[in-house]
Amino acid sequence: TDSDLRDRVVAAGMDEREPVCRVMSAPVASIPEDALIYEALLAMQERGVQHLAITDSAGKTTGLVRNKELLQF
């Protein structure tokens, strides 16, 4: 995410040629695609994240949602 890039790469002076797995947040926070908006916002709050991966019934990531998008409703 943007904050991972700022905090873990730029501010830390890390070489931008490092693999992404060295700076990414893990595990990836996700929510089922049929979850309600308030459930997504609650999950973000509980996990301290601003993005959630959206997963289908097979567990495959199908998208990404940001808290800013959800707060528009």
Side-chain angles (χ1 to χ4, degrees), residues 55-68:
T55 56
D56 63 15
S57 59
K60 180 181 176 189
T61 300
T62 58
L64 180 76
V65 66
R66 297 179 295 169
N67 62 352
K68 290 179 183 181

Side-chain angles (χ1 to χ4, degrees), residues 29-53:
S30 65
I31 196 162
E33 62 189 1
D34 60 351
L36 302 175
I37 291 172
Y38 84 88
E39 293 173 313
L41 288 168
L42 182 60
M44 289 178 183
Q45 178 67 30
E46 290 174 344
R47 298 172 186 165
V49 298
Q50 297 178 16
H51 302 79
L52 288 174

